[in-house]
Amino acid sequence: MFQPPRCPNRRCPQHHHPEPGFFVRKGFYSVLCRPVPVPRFRCKVCRRGFSRQTFRADYYDHRPDLNSKLFLCLATGIGLRQSARNLGLSRRCTEHKFHKIARHLRRLNLNLRGPLPEGSSLQFDELETYEGRRNTRPVSLPHVIDRDTRFVIWGESAPIRPHGRMSKARKLAVEQDERRFGPRKDLSRRAVERTLRRAAALVEGLPVVKLTTDEKAIYPVIARKVFGKERLEHVRVNSKLARGTWNPLFPINQSEAMARDLMGRLRRESWLVSKLRRYLDLGMQMWMAYRNYVRLRFNYDVQSAAEMLGFAPRRMTSEELITWRQDWGKESIHPLAHTGTTTVASWQARTPP
Ligand SMILES: [Zn+2]
């Protein structure tokens, strides 16, 4: 039977330090989208009413039954408009659902991870795409993976300056953009550092950090700053080397190819471009959740990447990823828990990775 883990009211003392029996049960209500009635509760301290639904990722949602289907559509290369058509939702509703699910998955991605095992090896690279207008607003997307399990640790976008061949029309377009928005900033260095810091948090306890990248000149400087000079083993590979399975950067190249295929907005010559890069970042979180928790590492495997690293007890379904809210950090209810009392922290303590 479901038990509320805390009072959902952030201003109530029972939210931060819940005591046993802080609530009373207040009956049930039925909803069309669930076969069993939803239990209601009342907090004895702040007197607020709430229900099991308050703890779910789909609270307040219209058509919550379509959330996991929409997630699968968006994480496997279908655009927002086509997903809306497929599921019979309006475009606006689809956008709202996309933002809410992606923000939820961002928290889930951060909550479920733990330290990487000894001997892990990181690979880092930058993808290039654009926001809104191809010839004037390029975007860099640094991302880092665990080489052997293909676990995508992090990726986030940054604007970069238009570069490459400048035709007359392109020069005009760049000038037009600069008049509208001011000169385009280059924030890729900051994004590279932030991305590597996400990986550094997972390898804190390791005596040696192995990192493979291409030969871009700023990588060694930032990597030494982030991981510390003493324990960093940085291998740099010439990016002119043929891109086959024998290339040391094959794992990240393959991961990029898969991201370009399954994240429609990264595809070349596609209509599915991100209008603004913050939505690209949300799409990235969706792709990470799908890649790490739902998809098998390789087609012949029986485990997902997260399962191999011990971050999840088994491969998860798209429904399981969007069950309980994840906005209380490690104190959120574990996505695979049936009652409210199993938190992410208690689950991880029970089965250390
Ligand atoms: Zn309360």
Side-chain angles (χ1 to χ4, degrees):
M1 203 172 195
F2 178 80
Q3 277 213 19
R6 63 188 59 242
C7 173
N9 174 11
R10 285 178 188 273
R11 268 170 280 175
C12 173
Q14 296 301 320
H15 177 80
H16 302 285
H17 308 287
E19 292 159 23
F22 72 90
F23 62 91
V24 282
R25 292 189 180 268
K26 279 279 170 191
F28 296 87
Y29 69 94
S30 329
V31 279
L32 284 175
C33 59
R34 297 205 199 292
V36 283
V38 180
R40 275 194 231 261
F41 309 92
R42 183 180 295 281
C43 173
K44 285 182 191 166
V45 177
C46 68
R47 314 292 298 158
R48 280 272 192 105
F50 54 93
S51 74
R52 188 185 61 195
Q53 191 58 24
T54 319
F55 296 91
R56 289 187 57 95
D58 57 7
Y59 66 110
Y60 289 141
D61 273 15
H62 162 70
R63 292 302 303 271
D65 54 313
L66 294 180
N67 287 2
S68 67
K69 291 193 183 91
L70 177 65
F71 163 69
L72 277 185
C73 281
L74 296 178
T76 52
I78 302 178
L80 280 168
R81 287 167 200 236
Q82 189 56 41
S83 307
R85 279 179 217 120
N86 291 356
L87 299 176
L89 289 167
S90 73
R91 212 187 84 200
R92 194 74 199 122
C93 174
T94 313
E95 280 171 6
H96 280 308
K97 276 187 181 296
F98 162 55
H99 299 165
K100 188 173 170 188
I101 295 172
R103 289 192 189 110
H104 161 77
L105 291 173
R106 182 179 194 275
R107 297 186 196 108
L108 179 127
N109 284 331
L110 289 170
N111 287 351
L112 292 194
R113 55 185 52 188
L116 291 177
E118 206 161 318
S120 299
S121 181
L122 305 172
Q123 296 214 335
F124 174 87
D125 198 19
E126 282 173 282
L127 275 157
E128 199 175 317
T129 179
Y130 63 100
E131 55 178 336
R133 199 173 182 183
R134 181 166 49 186
N135 54 359
T136 61
R137 293 171 219 158
V139 161
S140 167
L141 184 67
H143 68 293
V144 60
I145 64 167
D146 174 55
R147 184 192 66 191
D148 297 332
T149 59
R150 305 291 159 86
F151 185 88
V152 185
I153 297 170
W154 200 253
E156 64 175 56
S157 66
I160 48 176
R161 305 257 321 138
H163 59 97
R165 209 163 54 86
M166 285 282 169
S167 66
K168 214 170 157 192
R170 191 175 176 202
K171 260 189 198 150
L172 268 175
V174 171
E175 278 165 21
Q176 199 182 29
D177 253 29
E178 288 202 346
R179 275 198 301 277
R180 264 181 85 190
F181 306 109
R184 193 166 172 81
K185 286 181 189 149
D186 185 330
L187 298 178
S188 65
R189 201 188 158 103
R190 193 185 70 169
V192 168
E193 187 175 330
R194 283 165 60 104
T195 304
L196 287 178
R197 286 207 185 279
R198 292 287 181 186
L202 304 191
V203 295
E204 252 171 12
L206 299 189
V208 183
V209 179
K210 293 181 204 156
L211 175 71
T212 316
T213 63
D214 62 30
E215 288 177 326
K216 196 168 165 179
I218 58 161
Y219 292 163
V221 183
I222 299 178
R224 280 200 294 269
K225 184 175 160 196
V226 168
F227 297 108
K229 206 160 64 181
E230 300 75 31
R231 59 190 195 124
L232 180 67
E233 262 178 33
H234 189 173
V235 179
R236 299 168 72 204
V237 180
N238 190 327
S239 48
K240 293 207 175 76
L241 211 66
R243 292 193 161 203
T245 46
W246 56 86
N247 186 321
L249 284 175
F250 176 73
I252 190 129
N253 288 336
Q254 190 197 30
S255 183
E256 277 175 15
M258 203 185 283
R260 282 215 191 261
D261 182 45
L262 292 184
M263 266 170 83
R265 44 182 85 227
L266 285 183
R267 230 176 271 154
R268 297 178 209 266
E269 302 293 327
S270 158
W271 284 359
L272 304 181
V273 59
S274 305
K275 301 279 190 299
L276 291 170
R277 66 184 176 82
R278 65 168 177 270
Y279 301 122
L280 173 64
D281 286 341
L282 288 179
M284 182 74 196
Q285 293 294 332
M286 243 181 191
W287 148 249
M288 275 163 59
Y290 177 74
R291 179 69 183 102
N292 293 342
Y293 295 96
V294 180
R295 198 189 185 280
L296 296 173
R297 181 185 61 161
F298 303 133
N299 287 325
Y300 61 73
D301 273 323
V302 288
Q303 287 183 312
S304 66
E307 192 181 354
M308 288 177 168
L309 289 169
F311 299 165
R314 60 178 166 79
R315 189 180 162 201
M316 283 153 75
T317 64
S318 54
E319 286 89 7
E320 285 166 344
L321 280 186
I322 20 189
T323 51
W324 303 112
R325 273 166 72 170
Q326 294 293 312
D327 45 355
W328 298 308
K330 300 258 184 201
E331 292 305 311
S332 311
I333 304 175
H334 193 281
L336 292 175
H338 291 292
T339 64
T341 42
T342 314
T343 60
V344 174
S346 67
W347 192 294
Q348 286 174 344
R350 213 163 62 193
T351 49

